[in-house]
Amino acid sequence: MFHLVEKLVEYFRTQMRTDPDMASAVAAIRTLLEFLRRDKGETILGLRESLKWATDCLTEVDSSVAVSSGGELFLRFISLTSLEHQDLSRCKKVMEERGELFLEKISLSRTKVAKLCHTFIKDGAKILTHSSSRVVLRVLEKAAAEKKRFTVYVTESQPDTAGKQMADALRRINVPVTVVLDAAVGYVLEKVDLVIVGAEGVVESGGIINKIGTYQMAVCSKAHNKPFYVVAESFKFVRLYPLNQQDVPDRFKYKADTLRTVSDLSDEHPMIDYTPPSLITLLFTDLGVLTPSAVSDELIKLYL
Amino acid sequence: MNPIQHHFIGQCTCLSLSPASTVLPASAPVPVPVSGAPSHSSPAPSPADKPAKSRAEQKAERRARQEADRASKQQSCSSSSKTKAPPSELNPVVKRLPEHVQVDDPAVVKRLAKKLERQQIPLRSDYGYKVSLFSHLHQYSRKAPLTQQLSIPSTVIHPSIVRLGLQYSQGIVVGSNARSVALLHAFKQVIRDYTTPPNEELARDLVNKLKPYISFLNQCRPLSASMGNAIKYIKKEISNIPSHFKEEEAKTKLQTCIDRYINENVVLAAKAISKYAIEKINLTSVILSDRTWKKFRVIVVDSRPRLEGREALRRLVQRGISCTYVLISALSYILPEVSKVFLGAHALLANGYVMSRVGTSQIALVARTFNVPVLVCCETYKFCERVQTDSFVSNELDDPDDLMVTRKGKTQLENWHDVSSLGLLNLVYDVTPPDFVDLVITDLGMIPCTSVPVVLRVKNLEQ
């Protein structure tokens, strides 16, 4: 079994390497599809169990919320069809086809989100964003392609200074960008027209889990009455319901390596925080433009 | 582990509110609550006299009569209307307000009295001076139960229903779940003793037999939302009995339906809710010999006059949970120590408002100020399609004499009837807006308060 884990992880890592623009959840789903193809199980139940186990393995490699939610949604999507065929191989084939359909749908999701969101960026707008999000980048690329002029402020986003990567990417498409300190969010907000952030996970209450510093930004934008927009693909919807920061499970708060090596987590600094739905104006997803209270509606449709 | 629920009761004594303009005008378009009794705007067929007309025929007759009335009314006041629009456009189907929130309208009371007379059920009279803000609601006294006015043995009402009505009005059976379960058990007894009269069909006749019972129970104590949903379910099950079923078969089927309803919606739902609720109680777990113990402390908040929290306290202490007991006036004192607030609900309304014992919205409000998460535990069968934004429109007034308390031999307020300007207000329910509630735990999972219509839609699809 051990070499199976290794192969799985290796495949996952290769996927991430070959296309750095791909979301980690998409890479995970590709890995799961490949796993399904190569699986030599004898029963549907066994197949499902091994897929769940594979998702858990991948979550241990990359502890982001999106991997776990993407994996669960993938499993539900492929089993949401009639598997009444007598022949196991035919069932498997149906599941594989569904899996490919799912993958195709989600690879288009970023484009859909960008199409919905770029209209909210007016000409001459000043945008504030947090850390590095590929979805936000896609939205800004689309807005720039529509010949809109706007400037962007990006937070540096310690401890991994991911904000600088975002700034580089934006400079490449000739968007004027300024990198600000995480502590300067309150200072900069009076100049800014709107705030757009990505999300690592969207929870049942309509709130989001994102890189640490997002909650702060949301509270400040509420105080300044600036709209706070979130862009996320639908496979990031997860069946969690945190009530406050402490309620977010530890397995999402820290990087996977930290969880494995460190025994006492109270010394570690969490990498993500939870933003409650009362601070979010709108969510842009491939299912449409949603208010935070509509997220629960969509989640019920996705998961039930 | 039982779901931990706090019980709150009204402690209102004398409200010195100026008569605000929030008293509902009688013609406001409030959607009619879909609970059993008050939806009868047509005369119930008198028992076994007329030949049973089909329901469609009755409806058509009623419609024709209503249209004729409307047309004649239109002609009589045509001078005031500027444009002569056709009657059907000017008078869209006005949903009638239930009579139990229109007590100050004499026409409605007369209509109710006539209906009860036809069903041979005594009318219960109001008691005591009513605070003007709530004069549109009934206020009964426990000392005058409806059953005193019934002849024994009552020919119209089944004895188990009479007993149930007495238990409701005397406060022996209280609480949303308890009342619904008792109601369903009483209906099981009624079905057991029922025999189809000749030339009648069980499906139609049994439903008609239940109507006076429901009116009677409504007179004893206004129906709760959960009872309303249970009655709707039973009526649907009865009318769906295929006509080829023999009587015994039909009766057994109904009994099993009722048992299954109780099992699914009350017993299993409680287990499901506690399973989800446990995830939210996450403090330092202490391994104790062979079991994992979740170490936590419960504060039970209680209020007069019902003091229902004592029962919850007793059960928790029996389980060995360390508890603290306070009255609701000490709320802001203890809230800084609290990590989560668990509340029960009587009903969840379609706009996300939570209807519960009076005091609940107070707790939710103060908890929100202290940034303490508020969790409401509620089974899905208590969700109703009603919409309500305040606690005045539709509520229940309990016996005002309950507020009198005897301490050290002295009863204050015992002569409150003599003081003409004094009113005692004993409210039973209040309504909490969804902004104060963080999470609702139901048997379907954890949902935000605003997702109640989604659950109602999903449930309707299932049926």
Side-chain angles (χ1 to χ4, degrees):
Chain A
M1 203 55 128
F2 183 61
H3 66 276
L4 199 61
V5 176
E6 269 195 358
K7 266 204 228 161
L8 204 71
V9 171
E10 189 49 47
Y11 191 90
F12 177 62
R13 289 225 171 93
T14 335
Q15 288 290 318
M16 297 281 283
R17 258 192 310 243
T18 46
D19 191 358
D21 199 31
M22 183 171 23
S24 50
V26 179
I29 291 170
R30 281 233 168 91
T31 318
L32 289 174
L33 190 58
E34 189 58 34
F35 181 80
L36 175 66
R37 283 200 193 104
R38 296 192 199 170
D39 182 71
K40 295 186 185 52
E42 297 294 308
T43 62
I44 299 278
L45 193 63
L47 200 65
R48 239 185 251 173
E49 291 296 321
S50 39
L51 274 171
K52 267 199 212 130
W53 169 84
T55 315
D56 290 335
C57 287
L58 289 175
T59 322
E60 278 184 26
V61 173
D62 184 340
S63 67
S64 64
V65 184
V67 169
S68 102
S69 71
E72 197 180 334
L73 279 169
F74 173 75
L75 190 54
R76 268 173 206 274
F77 190 83
I78 61 175
S79 0
L80 201 68
T81 159
S82 118
L83 294 169
E84 298 292 314
H85 308 278
Q86 297 288 57
D87 194 3
L88 178 70
S89 57
R90 208 129 51 104
C91 284
K92 263 191 70 181
K93 210 162 171 318
V94 169
M95 287 171 93
E96 281 169 29
E97 281 168 15
R98 296 275 299 178
E100 273 161 34
L101 184 64
F102 187 68
L103 206 55
E104 206 185 292
K105 264 189 10 164
I106 60 175
S107 48
L108 296 171
S109 49
R110 260 192 217 158
T111 330
K112 281 193 208 161
V113 173
K115 209 163 77 158
L116 283 171
C117 188
H118 77 92
T119 49
F120 280 70
I121 300 174
K122 299 204 169 47
D123 206 22
K126 299 199 192 58
I127 304 171
L128 174 64
T129 183
H130 183 63
S131 185
S132 169
S133 163
R134 286 169 289 218
V135 194
V136 176
L137 188 59
R138 185 76 78 85
V139 169
L140 297 176
E141 282 172 359
K142 180 102 173 109
E146 298 284 319
K147 306 273 192 285
K148 293 202 190 147
R149 292 162 296 181
F150 53 91
T151 52
V152 180
Y153 296 89
V154 191
T155 53
E156 186 185 43
S157 173
Q158 294 286 2
D160 53 0
T161 63
K164 300 225 168 98
Q165 291 170 2
M166 182 77 163
D168 290 335
L170 283 169
R171 273 187 207 111
R172 273 196 289 268
I173 53 171
N174 293 327
V175 173
V177 57
T178 317
V179 177
V180 299
L181 291 177
D182 299 340
V185 166
Y187 173 79
V188 132
L189 258 168
E190 54 182 38
K191 296 190 254 192
V192 151
D193 297 319
L194 67 150
V195 183
I196 306 183
V197 298
E200 292 195 23
V202 179
V203 295
E204 274 191 83
S205 56
I208 58 164
I209 294 183
N210 199 22
K211 184 79 185 295
I212 190 137
T214 314
Y215 176 53
Q216 214 159 280
M217 197 181 273
V219 173
C220 291
S221 356
K222 186 83 180 200
H224 282 266
N225 274 323
K226 307 280 178 181
F228 187 84
Y229 297 133
V230 172
V231 287
E233 304 98 312
S234 63
F235 58 78
K236 291 183 175 161
F237 282 23
V238 63
R239 293 217 79 178
L240 268 180
Y241 205 125
L243 296 169
N244 47 27
Q245 305 298 336
Q246 279 182 345
D247 233 6
V248 181
D250 276 344
R251 64 179 194 275
F252 295 134
K253 271 197 199 157
Y254 308 98
K255 282 200 163 355
D257 310 329
T258 330
L259 287 169
R260 262 200 301 265
T261 52
V262 175
S263 51
D264 183 15
L265 286 168
S266 56
D267 279 335
E268 295 298 316
H269 201 285
M271 296 297 290
I272 52 129
D273 63 20
Y274 164 67
T275 306
S278 48
L279 302 172
I280 300 174
T281 321
L282 285 177
L283 286 111
F284 296 89
T285 70
D286 49 323
L287 301 167
V289 182
L290 307 171
T291 54
S293 31
V295 169
S296 172
D297 199 341
E298 292 300 324
L299 262 168
I300 291 179
K301 277 197 235 159
L302 278 175
Y303 275 95
L304 280 180
Chain B
M1 186 188 272
N2 291 328
I4 298 162
Q5 291 182 348
H6 294 202
H7 299 274
F8 308 101
I9 315 92
Q11 60 149 28
C12 307
T13 51
C14 318
L15 283 183
S16 56
L17 287 167
S18 55
S21 55
T22 53
V23 176
L24 190 69
S27 57
V30 171
V32 175
V34 203
S35 54
S39 59
H40 305 291
S41 52
S42 65
S46 52
D49 266 16
K50 298 194 189 124
K53 283 193 191 143
S54 80
R55 220 185 256 153
E57 285 175 9
Q58 284 177 351
K59 255 196 185 150
E61 277 187 338
R62 234 181 288 147
R63 246 307 139 74
R65 240 181 288 139
Q66 278 178 352
E67 287 296 316
D69 284 340
R70 267 186 224 136
S72 57
K73 239 190 243 173
Q74 265 304 105
Q75 287 174 2
S76 59
C77 56
S78 58
S79 51
S80 49
S81 62
K82 287 190 185 145
T83 50
K84 279 261 173 90
S88 53
E89 270 178 47
L90 264 182
N91 295 319
V93 178
V94 175
K95 290 207 174 144
R96 291 244 186 91
L97 278 177
E99 68 78 27
H100 71 264
V101 297
Q102 286 185 282
V103 174
D104 52 354
D105 185 349
V108 174
V109 178
K110 223 167 61 161
R111 218 182 11 232
L112 172 72
K114 267 203 243 167
K115 181 183 112 181
L116 290 178
E117 209 182 331
R118 251 192 314 265
Q119 293 177 331
Q120 294 170 14
I121 293 168
L123 175 69
R124 200 171 181 191
S125 45
D126 285 0
Y127 166 77
Y129 172 74
K130 275 193 277 194
V131 173
S132 59
L133 250 167
F134 293 94
S135 58
H136 60 288
L137 300 170
H138 284 296
Q139 182 171 278
Y140 299 129
S141 165
R142 201 162 295 139
K143 293 198 281 280
L146 196 60
T147 44
Q148 281 176 348
Q149 302 170 45
L150 283 179
S151 60
I152 305 287
S154 161
T155 44
V156 176
I157 306 175
H158 193 281
S160 59
I161 301 283
V162 175
R163 187 179 71 161
L164 188 66
L166 194 59
Q167 283 173 330
Y168 283 166
S169 66
Q170 298 303 94
I172 299 171
V173 174
V174 279
S176 189
N177 275 343
R179 282 165 72 190
S180 308
V181 172
L183 175 74
L184 289 169
H185 282 308
F187 276 176
K188 264 173 68 176
Q189 186 67 42
V190 166
I191 292 172
R192 253 197 295 266
D193 296 338
Y194 171 78
T195 41
T196 327
N199 298 335
E200 296 276 358
E201 214 181 283
L202 182 140
R204 267 191 295 271
D205 187 60
L206 186 53
V207 175
N208 290 335
K209 277 267 170 10
L210 291 180
K211 284 185 190 165
Y213 300 165
I214 294 166
S215 304
F216 172 71
L217 291 174
N218 204 17
Q219 285 292 296
C220 293
R221 192 174 160 192
L223 298 179
S224 64
S226 52
M227 285 167 72
N229 285 341
I231 290 171
K232 250 194 346 183
Y233 173 76
I234 289 206
K235 282 190 179 170
K236 192 175 73 91
E237 285 300 314
I238 294 176
S239 16
N240 283 345
I241 299 260
S243 47
H244 63 80
F245 264 39
K246 286 198 265 299
E247 190 174 300
E248 275 314 306
E249 250 185 293
K251 291 207 289 193
T252 342
K253 179 169 185 289
L254 287 173
Q255 311 257 10
T256 19
C257 279
I258 292 181
D259 283 331
R260 202 186 56 211
Y261 186 84
I262 296 178
N263 195 32
E264 277 175 17
N265 287 311
V266 180
V267 176
L268 292 178
K271 291 206 179 101
I273 289 175
S274 41
K275 193 182 71 143
Y276 291 116
I278 283 175
E279 291 170 26
K280 288 295 167 197
I281 306 172
N282 57 345
L283 295 180
T284 47
S285 18
V286 174
I287 313 271
L288 188 73
S289 62
D290 46 310
R291 296 183 290 156
T292 342
W293 259 57
K294 291 210 172 214
K295 197 155 191 230
F296 59 92
R297 193 166 68 105
V298 177
I299 300 175
V300 179
V301 178
D302 204 0
S303 70
R304 284 193 62 231
R306 291 193 188 205
L307 292 170
E308 284 170 334
R310 293 192 176 177
E311 178 59 32
L313 182 69
R314 196 177 59 84
R315 290 195 198 172
L316 292 171
V317 170
Q318 264 179 356
R319 287 278 203 285
I321 300 172
S322 50
C323 293
T324 309
Y325 179 80
V326 292
L327 287 182
I328 198 166
S329 22
L331 191 58
S332 53
Y333 179 70
I334 47 129
L335 257 174
E337 304 175 10
V338 170
S339 60
K340 287 191 181 70
V341 175
F342 278 86
L343 301 172
H346 168 86
L348 241 67
L349 307 175
N351 57 347
Y353 281 64
V354 178
M355 176 179 250
S356 188
R357 276 276 183 269
V358 64
T360 309
S361 65
Q362 196 174 335
I363 295 195
L365 173 64
V366 183
R368 162 67 70 197
T369 327
F370 281 89
N371 274 325
V372 176
V374 174
L375 289 78
V376 170
C377 302
C378 182
E379 298 92 335
T380 48
Y381 87 103
K382 290 181 186 163
F383 286 18
C384 62
E385 307 247 341
R386 228 165 54 161
V387 169
Q388 207 176 315
T389 51
D390 60 57
S391 317
F392 299 101
V393 149
S394 176
N395 208 325
E396 196 187 319
L397 297 176
D398 210 358
D399 192 348
D401 290 338
D402 283 348
L403 296 180
M404 301 192 295
V405 61
T406 309
R407 288 211 181 97
K408 299 183 190 166
K410 249 182 92 159
T411 310
Q412 312 284 6
L413 294 173
E414 66 184 322
N415 300 316
W416 73 276
H417 293 285
D418 303 336
V419 185
S420 56
S421 53
L422 181 62
L424 296 190
L425 182 63
N426 190 355
L427 276 179
V428 181
Y429 299 118
D430 71 14
V431 155
T432 310
D435 325 329
F436 297 151
V437 176
D438 290 297
L439 172 62
V440 176
I441 306 180
T442 68
D443 39 310
L444 290 178
M446 300 190 272
I447 58 169
C449 235
T450 45
S451 288
V452 168
V454 181
V455 172
L456 283 169
R457 197 175 61 216
V458 166
K459 283 195 111 179
N460 281 339
L461 284 177
E462 277 174 21
Q463 285 162 5

